[in-house]
Amino acid sequence: MSIEKTLYYLDLLLPNLLISLKIMGFTFLFGIFFGAALAAAKLSRHKILRQLAYRYTSLMRGAPTIILLFIVYYGLPALLRAAAGMELDAQNKLLYIIVTLVLFSSSQISELIRAAYEAIPKGQMEAALSIGETQLTAIRRIILPQAALVILPNLADMVVSLMKEASLAFVIGVVDILGRINLLKLNAYGKNVVEMYIAGTLIFWCFSLLTQLVCSLLERRLSRHKQA
């Protein structure tokens, strides 16, 4: 194993990090939105909404991500064509992996949000309402800051997990970090494969460390805010 070769391939792989970050970023953004909607359904008083949300979560938890990706990749264009006569651009492959990961991650995020919300003592909401606060104001000023402190470490793990799951994009032709490694392997005729994968691992490892650092800083800030 050569350190020089590892650094060489690290330099070649870094530009493709932007693709992985784009996939992860959009997935996390939409995953939070749909995950919050699912969590609201699970906390709803409407039995049908609760059942649908829990069934969806159970289905997504049991589906391998790569199989879900192929279902979306082949099924979404056919569905849109049959339902609305829309032709989805086959070249926009980022859309398929983002949709897949949003479907998968929103179910996980909904459980994190639900658990964090239920971890807050119910008396705090009742106390806020008793002094004239509206329910939305009480949630924004009292519940959310505390829930964020509970959910933050798990959300950081979710970000790291999504970054790794984004590497599945190479199976449908997206040239992210793993896709770039596969192209480099072909051009190198199978040589220096270990160095290529070590370089890719280093990128994911550094991203994981940075995410944990940011999470720790946010936790400290939220803890100080809570104590104040």
Side-chain angles (χ1 to χ4, degrees):
M1 188 183 72
S2 168
I3 295 178
E4 290 79 9
K5 282 290 184 181
T6 301
L7 294 176
Y8 169 75
Y9 286 115
L10 184 64
D11 185 57
L12 292 180
L13 293 176
L14 278 175
N16 297 88
L17 174 61
L18 293 176
I19 301 295
S20 298
L21 288 174
K22 183 184 292 186
I23 295 170
M24 183 276 298
F26 280 109
T27 299
F28 187 70
L29 178 65
F30 290 109
I32 285 284
F33 177 79
F34 289 111
L38 275 173
K42 291 176 180 179
L43 295 167
S44 170
R45 296 179 180 179
H46 298 283
K47 184 178 179 180
I48 295 178
L49 278 179
R50 290 201 310 271
Q51 290 297 323
L52 287 174
Y54 278 111
R55 294 287 174 84
Y56 174 82
T57 299
S58 178
L59 178 63
M60 289 299 107
R61 280 180 167 179
T65 315
I66 191 166
I67 293 179
L68 187 61
L69 174 58
F70 285 129
I71 291 174
V72 171
Y73 183 65
Y74 292 109
L76 185 59
L79 178 63
L80 291 177
R81 191 181 306 115
M86 293 175 57
E87 289 294 336
L88 199 59
D89 184 5
Q91 298 302 314
N92 193 11
K93 295 179 180 179
L94 281 180
L95 175 64
Y96 299 110
I97 183 67
I98 290 171
V99 169
T100 299
L101 293 181
V102 167
L103 290 174
F104 172 76
S105 65
S106 60
S107 63
Q108 311 294 319
I109 292 172
S110 70
E111 280 296 285
L112 299 180
I113 295 174
R114 180 195 60 78
Y117 181 85
E118 291 182 339
I120 309 302
K122 298 294 187 295
Q124 296 195 25
M125 174 66 78
E126 295 171 0
L129 295 176
S130 68
I131 61 173
E133 296 277 10
T134 65
Q135 187 172 13
L136 286 177
T137 303
I139 290 175
R140 180 176 59 84
R141 297 180 58 185
I142 298 172
I143 304 300
L144 283 182
Q146 296 181 75
L149 191 57
V150 174
I151 200 176
L152 193 56
N154 292 319
L155 277 183
D157 291 339
M158 177 62 69
V159 168
V160 174
S161 177
L162 286 176
M163 188 66 174
K164 292 186 288 187
E165 292 283 356
S167 62
L168 289 174
F170 90 97
V171 302
I172 58 171
V174 176
V175 186
D176 63 338
I177 293 174
L178 194 54
R180 179 65 168 163
I181 289 175
N182 280 279
L183 291 176
L184 290 171
K185 281 166 55 181
L186 292 175
N187 293 332
Y189 302 101
K191 295 180 180 179
N192 305 314
V193 174
V194 173
E195 286 84 353
M196 295 177 194
Y197 281 113
I198 289 176
T201 301
L202 285 173
I203 293 174
F204 284 105
W205 181 61
C206 289
F207 176 81
S208 177
L209 288 179
L210 180 60
T211 302
Q212 292 172 11
L213 176 61
V214 172
C215 176
S216 297
L217 292 174
L218 287 174
E219 278 190 273
R220 291 175 189 172
R221 183 171 182 179
L222 286 172
S223 296
R224 287 197 297 266
H225 177 75
K226 181 179 177 181
Q227 293 171 359

